[in-house]
RNA sequence: GCCCCGGUAGCUCAGUGGAUAGAGCGGCCGCCUCCUAAGCGGCAGGUCGUCGGUUCGACUCCGGCCCGGGGCGCCA
């Protein structure tokens, strides 16, 4: 509907003679919903914008535009108001036509075309598989999944991906931690390193490994610890200590280290997969970091950098001249010891995404990764890829509140911190909605009591209740022998003239605009706000007028209206991964 | 020191340069003989952190400052 107005305004501008508003290509028509119904249904501020460059009187310009508007019988009238707004008043037929569209399109109502013909890869969560997901990852999962759904709803072809950090030091530490717990099961007495992973799940992994493999990886404790530097509690450095311990493990176990390593990786990754699956978050691919090296992507990335002449050698290392591409400092790609850096893997991964043919590389990262953005973009550009193909959204932190008190999130504390526990406590629906209720660059205070409460304070229930209430009305109607007759209802929409009914039509028909905007700004919280407003319009309507009336035409028209509302509520909830219950 | 995010009603937060800045919660006053009161209606509540600038017009854009959070490795 908004598109229609924008089209009409664009046509009007194109029709105007060059001296007035013609000539330079006009800016976007800037049509928006009027806030105040006294200002009509839609408002356009283009005349005021153009007035500046044209040195014309905005109201006079608005008058010219209005006169050049193509005739359209869905527009009742236009007005020029205030400093130069053009206000559009739609005919009842315009709203009715849009309702017909809702019924005809069903699940696809609201879908846009902004991304048509383009492919996006959304990478999110990508938590290191060193332990179960915690509540912070939950926000990444909910946000990333919703953004992916939004892009898809706006025409993009979307691929969802989890980058598995299955290489690197953190994973070596995990493997060493598992091995030490395993040695305990073999009867050895060990001192657990300060920097090791202490979680109970490590013991479980060790137990399974021991159950499967017996004492195959047993080494005596004195052979393991002999000659190692001091650990932190003894006045040493915990990083040096753990690195020495890892080196020793690799030396003693040889190929067996990989077996222990994979036991930890596989177990934890399976847990993460299962958790996300249970949360309604699915991925098309779990991309292995190791495969970058194996598949030659890192080599290709470095070759590209060399070919483009953007690298130099200094202190025995190979550097990317990232400062040529907007980064604040140059970055090492190959270390002095010949190993490639993590940064090399990052740009190789992003190059690989481009090689797979994605137009938009959509990354969802923690706010603590913000320094990474300029770096990776610089890398892409240095490899000859467009820097603006990368779009990164940063997620601020989550704080849990229970009964007004902040829940401390240390791994040591007995308080739960895992996503799985959160889901068990508040349910998937509340978790999914609460996680995306706030803008991603706003810190999130997650109120556990509120999320659990079965009251009108809780937006989850408020919204779902609207959906269930509509289903209940339809059920009631059928039970009274007056089932909804869609054909009759759609033929009688002209009977819907009450203020609440007009408000319902205005709200329902905003959905395509919400998708477009929420998708463009990667802002699923907009959908939550919209859902609340649509639900509010429905609850007000419900209280104001009866639906199941004797007059069949009126009854079916009203039912057609609330069925359209149910459709849009369902479509919007679906984007957020929240269920739309038939009864509550 | 440099970079990123935030500062809007008592609280939690919306607000693509446009008209009189909004919502939910909390507070106060009302509404079930009626399709689910998990609901609805009304009232009160604001120097949009602060000081300048750009503009016909600034919560929105630019600069300075103040406050809160995060980040700045040949770590991962």
């Amino acid at each position: 509907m908004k598109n229609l107005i924008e089209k009409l305004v664009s046509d009007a501008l194109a029709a105007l003679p060059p001296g007035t508003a013609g000539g330079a290509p006009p800016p976007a028509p800037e049509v928006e919903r009027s806030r105040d119904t006294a200002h009509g249904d839609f408002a356009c501020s283009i005349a005021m914008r153009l007035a500046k460059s044209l040195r014309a009187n905005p109201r006079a310009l608005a008058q010219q535009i209005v006169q050049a508007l193509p005739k359209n019988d869905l527009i009742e009238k236009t007005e020029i108001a205030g400093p130069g707004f053009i206000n559009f008043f739609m005919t009842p037929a315009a709203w009715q036509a849009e309702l017909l569209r809702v019924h005809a399109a069903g699940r696809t109502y609201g879908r846009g075309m902004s991304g048509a013909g383009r492919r996006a890869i959304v990478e999110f969560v990508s938590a290191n598989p060193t332990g179960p997901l915690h509540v912070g990852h939950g926000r990444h999962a909910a946000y990333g999944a919703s953004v992916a759904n939004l892009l898809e709803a706006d025409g993009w072809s979307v691929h969802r991906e989890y980058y598995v950090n299955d290489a690197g030091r953190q994973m070596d530490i995990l493997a060493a931690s598992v091995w030490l717990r395993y040695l305990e099961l073999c009867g050895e007495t060990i001192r657990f390193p300060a920097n090791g992973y202490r979680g109970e799940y490590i013991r479980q992994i060790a137990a399974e490994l021991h159950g499967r493999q017996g004492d195959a990886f047993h080494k005596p404790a004195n052979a393991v610890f002999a000659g190692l530097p001091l650990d932190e509690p003894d006045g040493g450095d915990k990083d040096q200590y753990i690195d020495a311990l890892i080196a020793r493990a690799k030396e003693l176990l040889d190929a067996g280290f990989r077996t222990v390593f994979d036991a930890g990786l596989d177990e934890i990754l399976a847990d993460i997969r299962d958790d996300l699956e249970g949360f309604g978050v699915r991925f098309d691919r779990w991309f292995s970091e190791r495969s970058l090296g194996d598949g030659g992507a890192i080599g290709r990335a470095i070759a590209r950098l060399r070919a483009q002449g953007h690298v130099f050698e200094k202190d025995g290392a190979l550097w990317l001249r990232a400062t040529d591409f907007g980064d604040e400092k140059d970055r090492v790609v190959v270390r002095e010891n010949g190993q490639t850096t993590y940064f090399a893997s990052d740009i190789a991964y992003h190059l690989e995404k481009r090689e797979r043919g994605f137009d938009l590389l959509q990354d969802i990262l923690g706010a603590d990764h913000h320094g990474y953005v300029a770096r990776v973009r610089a890398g892409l550009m240095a490899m000859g890829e467009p820097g603006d193909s990368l779009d990164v959204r940063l997620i601020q932190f989550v704080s849990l509140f229970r009964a007004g008190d902040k829940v401390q999130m240390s791994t040591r504390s007995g308080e739960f911190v895992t996503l799985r526990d959160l889901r068990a406590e508040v349910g998937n629906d509340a978790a999914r909605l609460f996680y995306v209720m706030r803008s991603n660059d706003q810190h999130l205070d997650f109120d556990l009591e509120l999320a659990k409460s079965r009251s009108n304070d809780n937006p989850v229930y408020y919204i779902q209740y609207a959906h269930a209430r509509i289903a209940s009305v339809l059920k009631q109607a059928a039970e009274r022998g007056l089932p909804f007759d869609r054909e009759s209802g759609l033929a009688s929409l002209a009977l819907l003239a009450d203020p609440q009914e007009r408000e319902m039509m205005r709200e329902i028909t905003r959905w395509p605009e919400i998708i477009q905007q929420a998708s463009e700004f990667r802002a699923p919280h907009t959908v939550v706000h919209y859902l609340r407003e649509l639900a509010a319009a429905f609850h007000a309507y419900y209280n104001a007028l009866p639906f199941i009336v004797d007059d069949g035409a009126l009854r079916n028209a009203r039912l057609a209206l609330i069925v359209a509302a149910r459709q849009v509520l369902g479509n919007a909830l679906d984007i957020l991964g929240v269920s739309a219950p038939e009864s509550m």
Side-chain angles (χ1 to χ4, degrees):
Chain A
M1 216 170 203
K2 186 178 137 190
N3 292 342
L4 168 71
I5 311 287
E6 286 175 346
K7 176 83 167 59
L8 293 176
V9 173
S10 298
D11 288 352
L13 288 172
L16 284 174
T20 51
E30 303 287 349
V31 173
E32 56 186 21
R33 294 258 173 174
S34 301
R35 255 189 221 166
D36 189 337
T37 53
H39 295 142
D41 298 306
F42 293 90
C44 176
S45 60
I46 189 90
M48 291 177 294
R49 284 166 210 289
L50 285 175
K52 192 180 297 178
S53 56
L54 295 173
R55 301 230 185 104
N57 177 308
R59 287 187 65 106
L61 200 52
Q63 188 59 45
Q64 291 176 352
I65 294 169
V66 166
Q67 278 164 2
L69 281 174
K71 292 243 179 302
N72 190 296
D73 55 12
L74 295 180
I75 293 171
E76 190 162 271
K77 64 169 176 172
T78 57
E79 272 179 8
I80 295 165
F85 290 100
I86 304 172
N87 292 332
F88 293 83
F89 294 75
M90 309 303 288
T91 63
W95 301 108
Q96 293 156 23
E98 190 70 13
L99 281 185
L100 290 179
R101 232 164 272 142
V102 179
H103 279 267
R107 292 183 53 77
T108 63
Y109 178 72
R111 287 177 174 268
M113 299 283 285
S114 306
R118 289 186 289 170
R119 301 179 60 210
I121 177 170
V122 182
E123 184 215 325
F124 60 115
V125 188
S126 299
N128 283 347
T130 53
L133 297 178
H134 57 66
V135 292
H137 298 126
R139 190 178 190 192
H140 287 237
Y143 176 83
S146 296
V147 165
N149 291 343
L150 278 168
L151 289 170
E152 208 160 58
D154 205 18
W156 290 86
S157 168
V158 176
H159 174 93
R160 297 156 175 83
E161 190 152 301
Y162 187 119
Y163 182 62
V164 181
N165 293 87
D166 54 6
R169 181 162 172 268
Q170 289 307 316
M171 291 305 296
D172 281 341
I173 295 176
L174 176 83
S177 303
V178 169
W179 188 46
L180 292 177
R181 293 304 186 200
Y182 167 93
L183 291 179
E184 285 181 328
L185 295 173
C186 296
E188 296 295 335
T189 302
I190 59 129
R191 282 189 63 191
F192 205 76
N195 218 9
Y197 287 99
R198 292 177 173 275
E200 188 54 36
Y201 61 95
I202 299 289
R203 292 179 195 271
Q204 288 170 18
I205 294 166
E208 289 201 21
L209 181 66
H210 190 252
R212 268 200 321 274
Q213 306 267 7
D215 286 354
F217 308 111
H218 183 195
K219 304 290 172 191
N222 56 8
V224 175
F225 295 103
L228 294 184
L230 295 178
D231 197 2
E232 190 173 69
D234 307 315
D237 181 276
K238 63 180 179 181
D239 286 308
Q240 278 178 19
Y241 179 76
I242 198 91
D243 286 340
L245 185 62
I246 289 165
R248 176 65 50 83
K250 287 179 175 173
E251 176 191 325
L252 292 173
L253 288 172
D254 196 24
F257 185 80
R258 185 58 167 264
T259 308
V260 175
F261 183 107
D262 283 344
L265 171 66
D266 293 347
E267 191 82 13
I268 289 170
L269 208 51
D271 174 74
I272 289 174
R273 256 179 221 261
D274 179 71
D275 199 10
L276 290 172
E277 185 86 10
F279 199 33
V281 176
R282 289 177 187 79
F283 291 88
D284 297 304
R285 181 164 174 189
W286 296 69
F287 189 96
S288 158
E289 177 187 355
R290 263 189 230 164
S291 74
L292 282 175
D294 302 344
I298 294 176
R300 287 201 303 284
I302 292 171
R304 275 238 207 168
L305 294 178
R306 283 189 196 279
Q308 308 265 345
H310 298 307
V311 291
F312 63 95
E313 291 196 26
K314 193 180 103 184
D315 304 334
L318 186 70
W319 296 66
L320 167 66
R321 207 180 307 278
T323 46
D324 281 356
F325 302 96
D327 197 5
E328 57 187 9
K329 54 181 80 164
D330 294 330
R331 305 290 175 180
V332 173
V333 180
V334 183
R335 282 186 252 170
E336 194 179 3
N337 64 12
Q339 289 194 321
T340 56
T341 58
Y342 196 83
F343 170 62
S345 296
D346 284 338
I347 62 173
Y349 180 39
H350 285 79
L351 174 63
E352 201 273 350
K353 289 177 183 178
R354 291 287 299 167
E355 289 171 342
R356 277 190 272 162
F358 293 108
D359 303 290
L360 170 65
L361 313 184
Q362 182 70 61
D363 286 8
I364 312 296
L365 301 171
D368 53 338
H369 282 71
H370 99 87
Y372 161 111
V373 180
R375 228 179 299 173
V376 174
R377 179 169 289 122
L380 275 170
M381 291 163 76
M383 292 185 293
E385 298 294 331
D388 60 4
S389 60
L390 175 68
D391 184 79
V392 181
R393 299 295 157 150
L394 302 174
I395 312 277
Q396 296 292 332
F397 297 150
V398 178
S399 302
L400 283 183
F401 283 81
R402 184 190 293 284
D405 295 325
K406 189 164 177 174
V407 178
Q408 291 307 315
M409 298 251 246
S410 74
T411 316
R412 286 162 195 267
S413 84
E415 299 267 20
F416 72 70
V417 289
T418 69
L419 173 61
R420 197 182 293 283
D421 288 341
L422 177 80
R423 295 201 292 116
E425 177 160 355
V426 307
N428 281 336
D429 286 344
R432 287 290 296 256
L433 193 99
F434 271 61
Y435 270 137
V436 297
M437 204 158 47
R438 304 287 176 236
S439 160
N440 59 290
D441 44 30
Q442 187 82 240
H443 289 248
L444 176 67
D445 289 339
F446 195 117
D447 184 335
L448 291 164
E449 309 303 327
L450 180 60
K452 279 191 294 182
S453 77
R454 303 192 163 250
S455 75
N456 46 358
D457 308 357
N458 189 337
V460 180
Y461 288 95
Y462 184 82
I463 294 163
Q464 289 184 322
Y465 183 41
H467 188 273
R469 235 180 179 181
I470 294 169
S472 170
V473 170
L474 293 170
K475 198 170 143 214
Q476 276 284 330
E479 281 171 6
R480 293 193 204 170
L482 303 169
F484 172 47
D485 180 340
R486 188 186 299 261
E487 200 180 336
S488 159
L490 295 181
S492 313
L493 295 176
L495 299 173
L496 303 175
D498 271 73
Q500 286 85 0
E501 290 168 337
R502 284 202 297 272
E503 180 59 21
M504 282 284 280
M505 294 188 214
R506 272 194 288 269
E507 283 296 333
I508 289 167
T509 59
R510 278 174 66 206
W511 178 231
E513 298 155 35
I514 297 293
I515 286 192
Q516 197 279 321
Q517 185 186 323
S519 164
E520 180 182 349
F521 296 115
R522 319 288 193 259
H525 72 275
T526 316
V527 176
V528 180
H529 287 272
Y530 170 69
L531 272 167
R532 207 202 297 252
E533 284 155 16
L534 177 57
F538 168 73
H539 287 309
Y541 184 31
Y542 181 97
N543 275 274
L545 296 168
F547 306 138
I548 306 173
V549 293
D550 293 336
D551 178 347
L554 181 61
R555 180 180 65 244
N556 283 310
R558 285 181 173 167
L559 294 179
L561 180 58
I562 65 171
V563 165
R566 180 179 65 170
Q567 183 70 61
V568 172
L569 285 167
N571 291 359
L573 285 168
D574 200 45
I575 293 281
L576 303 180
V578 177
S579 70
E582 293 293 306
S583 67
M584 289 172 70

